[in-house]
Amino acid sequence: MTPDTDRGRGILSPADRAYLLGEADMEHEQSKRNAEARIRGRITDAILDFGILVHHLKKKDRRQVFDTDDERFMDGLTAMLSFAYIGMRESGGEFGHALEPAVRKAEEVHAADMLGQAVSVDVQFDVETEVETAVDDVAVAIDAGKPVTPAELFSVMVGSDVLEDVDEVTLQLSDEADEDGLLKEDEFVAHVADYLDAELRWLPYNRVKVLVET
């Protein structure tokens, strides 16, 4: 799904979206730095605004915001949480220190408001990660033209310049779709093609070649 840069202004203005998506030409480095500083400021101000929203936005308005079956909205919520998680992790913060009291307070307020009851809430946030493939190994495989999995490709798409000088990437898809993932593999491939402005060439043996325009 291609991002819609012409939506109304949210945290980002249409011009901000165009800049981040590489659709706006800025000849001067100072212009780029100004745009990035403006975006950082808007993100910070938006986060602070949630303190007002959670306490002062009317319940009917909050419900109308979330009463939607638009898949883009759920994708946006997932991306919002991912952004917060990555940002806190990179800065040395603990995501659970923000998540646990937020969920606890929300459950207490919900129970009092909807059920007329006081509740005790136990929230536990636990993440276990297991390194499967190092980013450097993925980079070597891509450079050698060897197939990589969607998860391996994703690992080098975030915070890495591995794909900057790559013309094509071959993806090895699994024989069975992972229904537990946020995206099915074919949906992930479509998102990758949009993100990289690439063409797809489907190959035998459950492989797909991503042709990146340079």
Side-chain angles (χ1 to χ4, degrees):
M1 183 181 297
T2 303
D4 180 7
T5 59
D6 294 327
R7 286 182 290 106
R9 179 169 175 173
I11 295 177
L12 302 177
S13 68
D16 294 335
R17 296 181 194 123
Y19 172 71
L20 291 176
L21 292 169
E23 298 175 358
D25 294 327
M26 291 190 181
E27 297 180 358
H28 304 293
E29 285 299 318
Q30 186 60 49
S31 297
K32 296 179 181 179
R33 288 194 291 269
N34 290 343
E36 291 162 359
R38 181 177 65 247
I39 291 170
R40 291 195 302 270
R42 286 177 177 168
I43 293 170
T44 300
D45 287 338
I47 291 172
L48 296 176
D49 281 343
F50 276 101
I52 298 174
L53 291 173
V54 75
H55 292 295
H56 299 286
L57 185 69
K58 292 181 179 179
K59 185 190 304 182
K60 67 177 182 63
D61 292 321
R62 183 176 62 243
R63 286 179 173 174
Q64 288 182 46
V65 169
F66 287 88
D67 185 16
T68 176
D69 56 3
D70 189 342
E71 292 183 1
R72 297 177 305 170
F73 184 80
M74 183 56 67
D75 290 343
L77 285 176
T78 302
M80 179 183 72
L81 293 172
S82 295
F83 182 82
Y85 181 86
I86 292 172
M88 294 191 69
R89 186 174 176 84
E90 289 174 336
S91 64
E94 290 289 340
F95 186 66
H97 291 173
L99 180 67
E100 291 175 9
V103 174
R104 184 181 301 111
K105 184 62 177 178
E107 286 289 348
E108 290 171 351
V109 171
H110 178 75
D113 187 35
M114 301 299 293
L115 306 175
Q117 298 176 342
V119 296
S120 176
V121 183
D122 179 32
V123 183
Q124 296 181 2
F125 178 72
D126 184 44
V127 177
E128 294 184 6
T129 60
E130 180 178 346
V131 177
E132 297 180 350
T133 308
V135 171
D136 289 345
D137 293 337
V138 177
V140 170
I142 291 175
D143 189 56
K146 296 180 180 179
V148 297
T149 67
E152 290 171 338
L153 176 60
F154 183 75
S155 72
V156 299
M157 288 178 62
V158 180
S160 168
D161 59 359
V162 169
L163 299 179
E164 285 188 359
D165 299 320
V166 172
D167 296 326
E168 61 183 46
V169 178
T170 301
L171 288 176
Q172 178 64 64
L173 306 183
S174 61
D175 293 330
E176 297 181 1
D178 181 7
E179 298 296 339
D180 294 330
L182 293 175
L183 287 176
K184 296 180 180 179
E185 285 189 332
D186 57 345
E187 294 176 339
F188 173 79
V189 171
H191 278 269
V192 167
D194 284 339
Y195 180 78
L196 298 177
D197 193 20
E199 295 183 7
L200 299 177
R201 182 180 300 165
W202 295 89
L203 306 173
Y205 306 110
N206 224 23
R207 293 181 178 180
V208 58
K209 183 165 290 187
V210 182
L211 303 173
V212 183
E213 296 183 6
T214 57

